[in-house]
DNA sequence: CCCTGATTCGC
DNA sequence: GCGAATCAGG
């Protein structure tokens, strides 16, 4: 059954829409097999489209941000995600997530913009994150600094190298 | 991938 | 007029 757009349904639609509800939410509330596309289509036909550009940040009201008092800085580097190979490393698919680690130097300072030719290109952090950077220390072995070169250019593992690898890698995770 | 609204177009 | 499919963006 498709009630179509009866007056009260349209009324509810207007109300909810102007209330700041998203199309999908409205569709859900109206029920009756109405999809968000239907809602949006109707909204446009009704001429009440705009209202700002809600999108994601809209969990409820869109126009005004309650300006939540943030007491929690974006710290917590988050769980180290695995890093896809960014630089040519003889040993690919290393489940290594190079994290800042306690380093003497300023590791992870170089960004894609500032990364120079002779700077270590060992990726630091999540490549999809804005926090992403590179080691940046002086590159000696290939494109990596001494330290990271050791990890990148891992000598072929022996039979039971598995444990050994995990061992040597642990400190980089 | 999740979500958002906007547009198109056959019905 | 309707809305699924598609597009464009976060």
């Amino acid at each position: 059954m498709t009630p179509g757009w009866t007056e009260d349904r349209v009324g509810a639609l207007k109300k909810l829409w102007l209330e700041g509800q998203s199309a999908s939410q409205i569709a859900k509330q109206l029920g009756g097999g109405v999809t968000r596309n239907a809602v949006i289509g109707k909204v446009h036909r009704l001429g009440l489209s705009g209202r700002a550009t809600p999108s994601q940040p809209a969990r409820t009201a869109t126009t005004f941000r309650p300006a939540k008092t943030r007491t929690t800085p974006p710290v917590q580097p988050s769980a180290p995600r695995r890093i896809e190979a960014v630089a040519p490393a003889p040993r690919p698919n290393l489940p290594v997530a190079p994290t800042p680690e306690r380093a003497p130097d300023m590791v992870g300072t170089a960004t894609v913009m500032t990364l120079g030719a002779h700077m270590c290109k060992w990726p630091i952090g999540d490549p999809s994150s804005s926090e992403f950077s590179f080691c940046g220390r002086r590159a000696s072995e290939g494109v990596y600094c001494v330290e990271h070169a050791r990890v990148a250019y891992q000598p072929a593992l022996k039979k039971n190298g598995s444990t050994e690898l995990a061992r040597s890698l642990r400190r980089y995770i």
Side-chain angles (χ1 to χ4, degrees):
Chain A
M1 290 171 68
T2 308
W5 288 108
T6 61
E7 286 191 41
D8 33 298
R9 284 175 70 81
V10 173
L13 168 60
K14 286 182 179 177
K15 177 177 178 294
L16 294 170
W17 180 260
L18 295 176
E19 201 170 286
Q21 301 277 321
S22 70
S24 62
Q25 287 181 304
I26 296 174
K28 191 180 301 177
Q29 290 177 42
L30 289 179
V34 176
T35 66
R36 80 181 194 92
N37 287 306
V39 171
I40 291 176
K42 185 58 182 176
V43 163
H44 276 229
R45 263 171 265 124
L46 289 174
L48 36 80
S49 46
R51 86 172 149 171
T53 312
S55 289
Q56 289 83 36
R59 263 301 164 255
T60 29
T62 314
T63 311
F64 39 85
R65 286 278 89 65
K68 55 166 117 175
T69 312
R70 78 150 55 192
T71 39
T72 308
V75 276
Q76 195 65 328
S78 77
R81 300 169 179 284
R82 77 181 53 222
I83 168 74
E84 302 299 343
V86 173
R91 177 144 263 94
N93 69 343
L94 277 180
V96 175
T99 49
E101 72 176 296
R102 39 230 163 270
D105 310 333
M106 301 197 309
V107 175
T109 304
T111 65
V112 62
M113 293 300 293
T114 65
L115 188 62
H118 296 157
M119 297 170 77
C120 176
K121 295 170 184 59
W122 186 268
I124 303 292
D126 186 343
S128 65
S129 167
S130 57
E131 304 282 315
F132 181 66
S133 58
F134 294 93
C135 170
R137 283 176 294 194
R138 196 185 104 261
S140 53
E141 288 289 327
V143 296
Y144 302 122
C145 67
V146 247
E147 190 172 352
H148 288 136
R150 287 224 315 273
V151 187
Y153 306 120
Q154 200 79 213
L157 297 172
K158 308 285 173 30
K159 287 287 191 60
N160 50 18
S162 171
T163 305
E164 193 178 328
L165 175 59
R167 239 300 210 43
S168 58
L169 245 37
R170 189 154 351 225
R171 51 168 306 197
Y172 288 96
I173 303 179

